[in-house]
Amino acid sequence: VIESGENYIAVFPNNDLGSEVIMNEYKRFWNNSRFKIFPSLRFEHFLTLLKHSDFIIGNSSAGIRESGVYGIPAIDIGSRQSSRYSRINAPNVQHVNEDKTEILYAVEHIGEYRKSSSSFGDGRSVERFMNIVKTPEFWDIKIQKKFVDIP
């Protein structure tokens, strides 16, 4: 990413196994004016940032799940998210190995992946939920616990 010439906002990784490797790589960004690094972001702030980004890059599930809702391209590095993306075919996601040439190529061709994806929903869950709750049949379901007094 340093060689790409792009500006980046980086967020510390979760404390998953291997996160120390990522943190060691982040040290290369400390004094680089093209990188702003944050220990964490509130999820609402992260989503706003994502919505206004050119792309997301890394091995975060946000690149697989949330980015498609906004039509934001994602470059997924490595195999950490393989169980998620093996079940979907998100047109906004490029999967690359931990290879500098592959990563640079993906960044250079990012515009080809600016596509919306509803693989994890289309944003209408509240509407659908409310439609179900408003039906009389929903309230007629006899699944309530019953108290039975023992004589």
Side-chain angles (χ1 to χ4, degrees), residues 1-2 8 22 26 29 55-61 63-64 74-82 85 93-104 106-107:
V1 293
I2 292 171
Y8 292 91
I22 296 170
Y26 274 26
F29 306 153
F55 63 94
I56 181 172
I57 183 170
N59 66 4
S60 170
S61 61
I64 305 297
I75 301 170
D76 178 56
I77 301 173
S79 59
R80 182 170 182 255
Q81 301 303 325
S82 63
Y85 66 73
V93 180
Q94 292 181 75
H95 304 286
V96 297
N97 294 314
E98 299 94 344
D99 177 78
K100 180 171 75 171
T101 304
E102 280 189 53
I103 294 167
L104 280 170
V107 171

Side-chain angles (χ1 to χ4, degrees), residues 120-136:
F120 287 98
D122 60 7
R124 296 179 53 224
S125 60
V126 172
E127 176 187 338
R128 288 186 181 115
F129 174 77
M130 292 306 295
N131 286 339
I132 291 169
V133 171
K134 289 177 182 178
T135 64

